[in-house]
Amino acid sequence: LPLYIFVIVDWAFLIYALNKIATTDLPFITLFGLIQVTGSSMGSCLSTNHELQHRRGSFEKMMGTISLAKNLYMHYQIEHTIGHHKWVATPGDPTTAKYNEDFFTYFARTVP
């Protein structure tokens, strides 16, 4: 199954969820669950995007960028391929944890 199918399904689910939230008076627990599932779906698509960005075809790369648009994280493609791949596991790589760096310091440094 092509990876870009997941991008299409993910966008369709996001549109469905936003429409449901906007047009239906949902009970709190249902609303809470829908928001949780939608957020999880958007986060899980990041690994799909990562794979699409490494494909050679322009269609796959475009689908990877489209999948990141809903997360407002389209700069990932540039940073990952130009920054991380060039400097991986060196002091110049902003996404590699420093020696003895704790998680919270790393997270604050790497997540905008």
PDB file of all heavy atoms in Angstrom, residues 28-52:
ATOM      1  N   PHE A  28     -18.991  16.010  26.484  1.00  0.00           N
ATOM      2  CA  PHE A  28     -17.587  16.315  26.785  1.00  0.00           C
ATOM      3  C   PHE A  28     -16.673  15.109  26.555  1.00  0.00           C
ATOM      4  O   PHE A  28     -15.611  15.249  25.957  1.00  0.00           O
ATOM      5  CB  PHE A  28     -17.438  16.816  28.227  1.00  0.00           C
ATOM      6  CG  PHE A  28     -16.003  17.007  28.608  1.00  0.00           C
ATOM      7  CD1 PHE A  28     -15.299  18.109  28.151  1.00  0.00           C
ATOM      8  CD2 PHE A  28     -15.341  16.073  29.388  1.00  0.00           C
ATOM      9  CE1 PHE A  28     -13.964  18.281  28.476  1.00  0.00           C
ATOM     10  CE2 PHE A  28     -14.011  16.242  29.720  1.00  0.00           C
ATOM     11  CZ  PHE A  28     -13.319  17.346  29.272  1.00  0.00           C
ATOM     12  N   ILE A  29     -17.058  13.946  27.019  1.00  0.00           N
ATOM     13  CA  ILE A  29     -16.181  12.776  26.909  1.00  0.00           C
ATOM     14  C   ILE A  29     -15.956  12.392  25.442  1.00  0.00           C
ATOM     15  O   ILE A  29     -14.868  12.002  25.051  1.00  0.00           O
ATOM     16  CB  ILE A  29     -16.717  11.583  27.743  1.00  0.00           C
ATOM     17  CG1 ILE A  29     -15.661  10.489  27.883  1.00  0.00           C
ATOM     18  CG2 ILE A  29     -17.995  11.026  27.147  1.00  0.00           C
ATOM     19  CD1 ILE A  29     -14.511  10.859  28.756  1.00  0.00           C
ATOM     20  N   THR A  30     -16.991  12.547  24.618  1.00  0.00           N
ATOM     21  CA  THR A  30     -16.850  12.255  23.182  1.00  0.00           C
ATOM     22  C   THR A  30     -15.948  13.280  22.527  1.00  0.00           C
ATOM     23  O   THR A  30     -15.083  12.935  21.717  1.00  0.00           O
ATOM     24  CB  THR A  30     -18.230  12.249  22.503  1.00  0.00           C
ATOM     25  OG1 THR A  30     -19.077  11.337  23.198  1.00  0.00           O
ATOM     26  CG2 THR A  30     -18.129  11.862  21.052  1.00  0.00           C
ATOM     27  N   LEU A  31     -16.137  14.540  22.861  1.00  0.00           N
ATOM     28  CA  LEU A  31     -15.289  15.607  22.332  1.00  0.00           C
ATOM     29  C   LEU A  31     -13.833  15.390  22.736  1.00  0.00           C
ATOM     30  O   LEU A  31     -12.923  15.482  21.912  1.00  0.00           O
ATOM     31  CB  LEU A  31     -15.789  16.961  22.831  1.00  0.00           C
ATOM     32  CG  LEU A  31     -14.995  18.191  22.403  1.00  0.00           C
ATOM     33  CD1 LEU A  31     -15.041  18.361  20.899  1.00  0.00           C
ATOM     34  CD2 LEU A  31     -15.529  19.419  23.093  1.00  0.00           C
ATOM     35  N   PHE A  32     -13.627  15.068  24.004  1.00  0.00           N
ATOM     36  CA  PHE A  32     -12.277  14.810  24.507  1.00  0.00           C
ATOM     37  C   PHE A  32     -11.634  13.644  23.749  1.00  0.00           C
ATOM     38  O   PHE A  32     -10.487  13.719  23.322  1.00  0.00           O
ATOM     39  CB  PHE A  32     -12.329  14.508  26.008  1.00  0.00           C
ATOM     40  CG  PHE A  32     -10.989  14.253  26.622  1.00  0.00           C
ATOM     41  CD1 PHE A  32     -10.132  15.297  26.909  1.00  0.00           C
ATOM     42  CD2 PHE A  32     -10.575  12.957  26.901  1.00  0.00           C
ATOM     43  CE1 PHE A  32      -8.890  15.069  27.473  1.00  0.00           C
ATOM     44  CE2 PHE A  32      -9.335  12.718  27.468  1.00  0.00           C
ATOM     45  CZ  PHE A  32      -8.487  13.772  27.750  1.00  0.00           C
ATOM     46  N   GLY A  33     -12.377  12.564  23.560  1.00  0.00           N
ATOM     47  CA  GLY A  33     -11.859  11.400  22.833  1.00  0.00           C
ATOM     48  C   GLY A  33     -11.547  11.715  21.387  1.00  0.00           C
ATOM     49  O   GLY A  33     -10.516  11.290  20.856  1.00  0.00           O
ATOM     50  N   LEU A  34     -12.419  12.476  20.738  1.00  0.00           N
ATOM     51  CA  LEU A  34     -12.190  12.834  19.333  1.00  0.00           C
ATOM     52  C   LEU A  34     -10.943  13.693  19.184  1.00  0.00           C
ATOM     53  O   LEU A  34     -10.148  13.501  18.264  1.00  0.00           O
ATOM     54  CB  LEU A  34     -13.417  13.555  18.776  1.00  0.00           C
ATOM     55  CG  LEU A  34     -13.423  13.872  17.288  1.00  0.00           C
ATOM     56  CD1 LEU A  34     -13.266  12.604  16.452  1.00  0.00           C
ATOM     57  CD2 LEU A  34     -14.687  14.610  16.906  1.00  0.00           C
ATOM     58  N   ILE A  35     -10.750  14.618  20.112  1.00  0.00           N
ATOM     59  CA  ILE A  35      -9.551  15.463  20.076  1.00  0.00           C
ATOM     60  C   ILE A  35      -8.292  14.621  20.306  1.00  0.00           C
ATOM     61  O   ILE A  35      -7.277  14.804  19.623  1.00  0.00           O
ATOM     62  CB  ILE A  35      -9.670  16.614  21.096  1.00  0.00           C
ATOM     63  CG1 ILE A  35     -10.732  17.604  20.633  1.00  0.00           C
ATOM     64  CG2 ILE A  35      -8.327  17.305  21.304  1.00  0.00           C
ATOM     65  CD1 ILE A  35     -11.112  18.643  21.659  1.00  0.00           C
ATOM     66  N   GLN A  36      -8.346  13.681  21.236  1.00  0.00           N
ATOM     67  CA  GLN A  36      -7.195  12.814  21.514  1.00  0.00           C
ATOM     68  C   GLN A  36      -6.840  11.946  20.303  1.00  0.00           C
ATOM     69  O   GLN A  36      -5.667  11.817  19.942  1.00  0.00           O
ATOM     70  CB  GLN A  36      -7.482  11.924  22.727  1.00  0.00           C
ATOM     71  CG  GLN A  36      -7.547  12.666  24.028  1.00  0.00           C
ATOM     72  CD  GLN A  36      -6.220  13.304  24.378  1.00  0.00           C
ATOM     73  OE1 GLN A  36      -5.178  12.692  24.268  1.00  0.00           O
ATOM     74  NE2 GLN A  36      -6.262  14.546  24.789  1.00  0.00           N
ATOM     75  N   VAL A  37      -7.849  11.356  19.697  1.00  0.00           N
ATOM     76  CA  VAL A  37      -7.603  10.486  18.541  1.00  0.00           C
ATOM     77  C   VAL A  37      -7.078  11.300  17.357  1.00  0.00           C
ATOM     78  O   VAL A  37      -6.162  10.868  16.648  1.00  0.00           O
ATOM     79  CB  VAL A  37      -8.894   9.719  18.164  1.00  0.00           C
ATOM     80  CG1 VAL A  37      -8.748   9.010  16.829  1.00  0.00           C
ATOM     81  CG2 VAL A  37      -9.242   8.730  19.255  1.00  0.00           C
ATOM     82  N   THR A  38      -7.635  12.485  17.153  1.00  0.00           N
ATOM     83  CA  THR A  38      -7.173  13.339  16.054  1.00  0.00           C
ATOM     84  C   THR A  38      -5.723  13.757  16.274  1.00  0.00           C
ATOM     85  O   THR A  38      -4.908  13.716  15.349  1.00  0.00           O
ATOM     86  CB  THR A  38      -8.076  14.583  15.929  1.00  0.00           C
ATOM     87  OG1 THR A  38      -9.428  14.161  15.767  1.00  0.00           O
ATOM     88  CG2 THR A  38      -7.669  15.432  14.740  1.00  0.00           C
ATOM     89  N   GLY A  39      -5.375  14.141  17.496  1.00  0.00           N
ATOM     90  CA  GLY A  39      -3.989  14.518  17.793  1.00  0.00           C
ATOM     91  C   GLY A  39      -3.030  13.358  17.619  1.00  0.00           C
ATOM     92  O   GLY A  39      -1.933  13.516  17.074  1.00  0.00           O
ATOM     93  N   SER A  40      -3.436  12.185  18.040  1.00  0.00           N
ATOM     94  CA  SER A  40      -2.590  10.994  17.864  1.00  0.00           C
ATOM     95  C   SER A  40      -2.396  10.671  16.391  1.00  0.00           C
ATOM     96  O   SER A  40      -1.300  10.307  15.953  1.00  0.00           O
ATOM     97  CB  SER A  40      -3.211   9.785  18.569  1.00  0.00           C
ATOM     98  OG  SER A  40      -3.274  10.007  19.940  1.00  0.00           O
ATOM     99  N   SER A  41      -3.453  10.817  15.628  1.00  0.00           N
ATOM    100  CA  SER A  41      -3.371  10.561  14.189  1.00  0.00           C
ATOM    101  C   SER A  41      -2.405  11.538  13.520  1.00  0.00           C
ATOM    102  O   SER A  41      -1.586  11.143  12.690  1.00  0.00           O
ATOM    103  CB  SER A  41      -4.764  10.685  13.565  1.00  0.00           C
ATOM    104  OG  SER A  41      -4.695  10.614  12.170  1.00  0.00           O
ATOM    105  N   MET A  42      -2.496  12.800  13.891  1.00  0.00           N
ATOM    106  CA  MET A  42      -1.607  13.805  13.302  1.00  0.00           C
ATOM    107  C   MET A  42      -0.155  13.545  13.682  1.00  0.00           C
ATOM    108  O   MET A  42       0.745  13.716  12.871  1.00  0.00           O
ATOM    109  CB  MET A  42      -2.043  15.201  13.725  1.00  0.00           C
ATOM    110  CG  MET A  42      -3.347  15.634  13.084  1.00  0.00           C
ATOM    111  SD  MET A  42      -3.948  17.209  13.688  1.00  0.00           S
ATOM    112  CE  MET A  42      -2.678  18.321  13.127  1.00  0.00           C
ATOM    113  N   GLY A  43       0.083  13.121  14.906  1.00  0.00           N
ATOM    114  CA  GLY A  43       1.450  12.828  15.345  1.00  0.00           C
ATOM    115  C   GLY A  43       2.022  11.589  14.693  1.00  0.00           C
ATOM    116  O   GLY A  43       3.197  11.546  14.335  1.00  0.00           O
ATOM    117  N   SER A  44       1.194  10.570  14.515  1.00  0.00           N
ATOM    118  CA  SER A  44       1.702   9.330  13.923  1.00  0.00           C
ATOM    119  C   SER A  44       2.041   9.486  12.455  1.00  0.00           C
ATOM    120  O   SER A  44       2.834   8.727  11.913  1.00  0.00           O
ATOM    121  CB  SER A  44       0.685   8.200  14.112  1.00  0.00           C
ATOM    122  OG  SER A  44      -0.478   8.467  13.363  1.00  0.00           O
ATOM    123  N   CYS A  45       1.471  10.481  11.817  1.00  0.00           N
ATOM    124  CA  CYS A  45       1.756  10.690  10.395  1.00  0.00           C
ATOM    125  C   CYS A  45       3.167  11.264  10.186  1.00  0.00           C
ATOM    126  O   CYS A  45       3.667  11.279   9.068  1.00  0.00           O
ATOM    127  CB  CYS A  45       0.706  11.603   9.780  1.00  0.00           C
ATOM    128  SG  CYS A  45       0.559  11.407   7.993  1.00  0.00           S
ATOM    129  N   LEU A  46       3.825  11.706  11.253  1.00  0.00           N
ATOM    130  CA  LEU A  46       5.188  12.241  11.110  1.00  0.00           C
ATOM    131  C   LEU A  46       6.161  11.175  10.616  1.00  0.00           C
ATOM    132  O   LEU A  46       7.061  11.468   9.833  1.00  0.00           O
ATOM    133  CB  LEU A  46       5.672  12.837  12.427  1.00  0.00           C
ATOM    134  CG  LEU A  46       4.979  14.130  12.846  1.00  0.00           C
ATOM    135  CD1 LEU A  46       5.438  14.550  14.226  1.00  0.00           C
ATOM    136  CD2 LEU A  46       5.218  15.226  11.836  1.00  0.00           C
ATOM    137  N   SER A  47       5.996   9.934  11.052  1.00  0.00           N
ATOM    138  CA  SER A  47       6.897   8.882  10.559  1.00  0.00           C
ATOM    139  C   SER A  47       6.613   8.565   9.098  1.00  0.00           C
ATOM    140  O   SER A  47       7.541   8.280   8.333  1.00  0.00           O
ATOM    141  CB  SER A  47       6.773   7.625  11.418  1.00  0.00           C
ATOM    142  OG  SER A  47       5.448   7.159  11.416  1.00  0.00           O
ATOM    143  N   THR A  48       5.356   8.647   8.693  1.00  0.00           N
ATOM    144  CA  THR A  48       5.019   8.472   7.277  1.00  0.00           C
ATOM    145  C   THR A  48       5.674   9.566   6.458  1.00  0.00           C
ATOM    146  O   THR A  48       6.261   9.315   5.405  1.00  0.00           O
ATOM    147  CB  THR A  48       3.494   8.509   7.077  1.00  0.00           C
ATOM    148  OG1 THR A  48       2.901   7.510   7.882  1.00  0.00           O
ATOM    149  CG2 THR A  48       3.122   8.297   5.626  1.00  0.00           C
ATOM    150  N   ASN A  49       5.578  10.794   6.956  1.00  0.00           N
ATOM    151  CA  ASN A  49       6.214  11.908   6.263  1.00  0.00           C
ATOM    152  C   ASN A  49       7.708  11.712   6.139  1.00  0.00           C
ATOM    153  O   ASN A  49       8.294  11.983   5.084  1.00  0.00           O
ATOM    154  CB  ASN A  49       5.940  13.223   6.987  1.00  0.00           C
ATOM    155  CG  ASN A  49       6.859  14.303   6.478  1.00  0.00           C
ATOM    156  OD1 ASN A  49       7.930  14.509   7.019  1.00  0.00           O
ATOM    157  ND2 ASN A  49       6.466  14.920   5.402  1.00  0.00           N
ATOM    158  N   HIS A  50       8.338  11.250   7.196  1.00  0.00           N
ATOM    159  CA  HIS A  50       9.784  11.037   7.170  1.00  0.00           C
ATOM    160  C   HIS A  50      10.160  10.107   6.020  1.00  0.00           C
ATOM    161  O   HIS A  50      11.112  10.352   5.281  1.00  0.00           O
ATOM    162  CB  HIS A  50      10.244  10.464   8.510  1.00  0.00           C
ATOM    163  CG  HIS A  50      11.704  10.185   8.564  1.00  0.00           C
ATOM    164  ND1 HIS A  50      12.220   8.932   8.370  1.00  0.00           N
ATOM    165  CD2 HIS A  50      12.765  10.999   8.775  1.00  0.00           C
ATOM    166  CE1 HIS A  50      13.542   8.992   8.471  1.00  0.00           C
ATOM    167  NE2 HIS A  50      13.897  10.228   8.717  1.00  0.00           N
ATOM    168  N   GLU A  51       9.420   9.024   5.868  1.00  0.00           N
ATOM    169  CA  GLU A  51       9.700   8.082   4.783  1.00  0.00           C
ATOM    170  C   GLU A  51       9.425   8.703   3.416  1.00  0.00           C
ATOM    171  O   GLU A  51      10.187   8.500   2.469  1.00  0.00           O
ATOM    172  CB  GLU A  51       8.874   6.804   4.960  1.00  0.00           C
ATOM    173  CG  GLU A  51       9.278   6.000   6.172  1.00  0.00           C
ATOM    174  CD  GLU A  51      10.761   5.661   6.175  1.00  0.00           C
ATOM    175  OE1 GLU A  51      11.298   5.268   5.119  1.00  0.00           O
ATOM    176  OE2 GLU A  51      11.396   5.795   7.234  1.00  0.00           O
ATOM    177  N   LEU A  52       8.349   9.465   3.288  1.00  0.00           N
ATOM    178  CA  LEU A  52       8.032  10.094   2.008  1.00  0.00           C
ATOM    179  C   LEU A  52       9.093  11.121   1.614  1.00  0.00           C
ATOM    180  O   LEU A  52       9.409  11.277   0.433  1.00  0.00           O
ATOM    181  CB  LEU A  52       6.652  10.750   2.064  1.00  0.00           C
ATOM    182  CG  LEU A  52       5.475   9.790   2.021  1.00  0.00           C
ATOM    183  CD1 LEU A  52       4.178  10.522   2.356  1.00  0.00           C
ATOM    184  CD2 LEU A  52       5.374   9.107   0.674  1.00  0.00           C
TER     185      LEU A  52
END
